[in-house]
Amino acid sequence: MATFGNLSDRLAETFKNLRTKGKLSAADVDGTVREIRRALLDADVALEVVKDFTGKVRERALGDEVSKALNPAQQVVQIVNDELITILGGQQRRLEFAKKPPTIIMLAGLQGAGKTTLAGKLAKWLAKDGHTPLLVAADLQRPNAVTQLEVVARQAGVAVYAPEPGNGVGDPVKVARDGVKYALQKVHDVVIVDTAGRLGVDAELMKQAANIRKAIDPDEVLFVIDAMIGQDAVATAKAFQDGVDFTGVVLTKLDGDARGGAALSVASLTGRPIMFASTGEGLDDFEPFHPDRMAGRILDLGDILTLIEQAQGAFDEDEARKVAEKFATDTFTLDDFLGQMQQLRNMGSIKKMMSMLPGAGAMKAQLENFDEREIVRTEAIIQSMTKLERTTPKLLNGSRRLRIAKGSGSSVTEVNQLVQRFEQAAKMMKTVAKGGMPNIPGMGPIPGAGYGGKPKVQQKKKGSKSGNPAKRAAENAALAAGVKPAGETASADAAGSGFGLGSGAQPGKGKAGGPTEEEMAALQKMLGR
């Protein structure tokens, strides 16, 4: 996540220095805590939060849980992760819906924090869960705020109540009250009230917000705060807490390049949980806030759970089952490949998804250089093929590939690369479908992996390895007669004696480490002596 990029880099570098140490001294812990303190202060985290955080980390890092750990460095990372989760709110807090609809949600915050856009995002997110939200335009102060809310509502596919034109005209308290009545009449189960903001905290803003709250008695009051606000975040949050008393926090603009200290300060100092996060400009760039997952992103530990949830929302299970069957029966075509690419694109930004993988911080340069339009170019190449060519890629000779390249605005080389990638993907997935492990290009087969059958065990050729021809002939003859050669017997006995087994001559059988009398007699008989 871009907002925490610098903080993640600083913390990763700090922990990197610990991994070379088998045991941590008090000086090592103090040095680590010092670096963490600097990283948090540079990220604009409030001083009070930083002191409390580093104090707890130091206390736990000097305790028995680290000194007795097999890997002290990993244990320190775990401690920092636990404390980050704590200052981010501990557990996820969900919306509390009214027992008797409609559930009333009031949005409050400064002008420019993104309340109006967030109203549309929240409404669309609720609509996906089967709710019927209504947006109420109670921001009659900012120019064109009402028009913007109407546009956002249309994009989100939800209803809007906007009886006043705004631009300084109308009573916001009356609009909010009438909006709740309108929701009851039209059977909307959620009402989202967009209120006015100011460039800064002032008495008029707080009075208006407090009057709206008294008039509609909301079930949730969400304080919308810009994650790029910096050190002023805490003062602003406390002012709104005293004036309006919000029940939860929504962070916006987490895709920006600011330091992100607001997220680490507000929840801790106000005692109110962060409930949602806005991660982009699109209406789908919105997600519930999970403190544990956010801590994982900050420490570059990944956020696999969110990635899985996004995949489940974008991928069709029935379609995935059909594709799996096609892999198993070797009927996977370029049409199916195209469908998979389109479903992947529906999940959103590829960069954002890859950034949720553990260790993504080490791939920052590659992620920055990744071209999101590559999927669009791939779609264009496949769509330039005929139906027969998509189902039977073996028909793609030179002239056909030239035609496809011209039709898709690409080069023949790009067409060749796409066909090669498709064949590799189909081959790998076919192996997986049959229960084997894929042969990853450039890596070879994975050692120890099965491929649907038992590997053939090559029998070692039995025979003497002696360089003396006479001795070699004697030993080979002895093997043919079922008698172990003297050298082999000696080595076997030596091997046994190494573990305390067979370490001495058996009574009446010969000297230790040598052949028995029966073996010697048989050998002499074979040699004709």
Side-chain angles (χ1 to χ4, degrees), residues 18-24 66-67 69-73:
L18 286 180
R19 292 192 177 98
T20 58
K21 300 179 183 296
K23 188 176 181 180
L24 299 185
V66 171
S67 61
L70 292 175
N71 193 323

Side-chain angles (χ1 to χ4, degrees), residues 126-318:
L126 288 168
K128 287 180 180 178
D129 277 352
H131 296 283
T132 54
L134 172 72
L135 298 182
V136 177
D139 182 0
L140 308 178
Q141 179 76 23
R142 182 169 60 86
N144 294 321
V146 175
T147 304
Q148 183 189 355
L149 188 67
E150 290 173 337
V151 171
V152 168
R154 187 162 55 250
Q155 291 174 343
V158 298
V160 62
Y161 178 74
E164 298 289 352
N167 298 325
V169 178
D171 181 4
V173 178
K174 183 177 183 301
V175 169
R177 190 186 299 114
D178 292 345
V180 175
K181 294 178 182 177
Y182 180 83
L184 281 168
Q185 294 172 2
K186 300 297 181 180
V187 199
H188 291 279
D189 67 341
V190 179
V191 181
I192 302 173
V193 182
D194 180 30
T195 64
R198 297 290 190 278
L199 294 176
V201 177
D202 59 19
E204 185 181 355
L205 166 66
M206 290 304 169
K207 182 180 179 181
Q208 185 184 102
N211 290 339
I212 292 175
R213 173 161 190 165
K214 290 177 183 177
I216 62 176
D217 189 22
D219 299 285
E220 296 278 10
V221 179
L222 301 183
F223 172 52
V224 183
I225 186 168
D226 184 349
M228 302 170 70
I229 196 172
Q231 288 283 358
D232 198 38
V234 176
T236 304
K238 285 186 174 180
F240 271 90
Q241 188 175 21
D242 295 338
V244 186
D245 191 21
F246 52 85
T247 59
V249 180
V250 181
L251 289 172
T252 61
K253 305 179 185 178
L254 278 178
D255 57 325
D257 56 359
R259 297 173 181 178
L264 302 176
S265 305
V266 173
S268 180
L269 293 180
T270 63
R272 299 292 185 268
I274 302 173
M275 297 175 63
F276 296 99
S278 176
T279 57
E281 296 180 1
L283 292 183
D284 291 318
D285 296 326
F286 176 80
E287 60 189 45
F289 188 87
H290 298 267
D292 54 340
R293 301 184 190 181
M294 184 58 69
R297 293 193 204 182
I298 293 172
L299 296 178
D300 198 22
L301 301 177
D303 187 359
I304 299 298
L305 290 176
T306 299
L307 188 59
I308 291 172
E309 288 174 0
Q310 290 184 2
Q312 289 175 336
F315 280 81
D316 186 345
E317 289 187 15
D318 293 332

Side-chain angles (χ1 to χ4, degrees), residues 491-504:
S491 62
D493 288 341
S497 65
F499 292 95
L501 300 173
S503 60

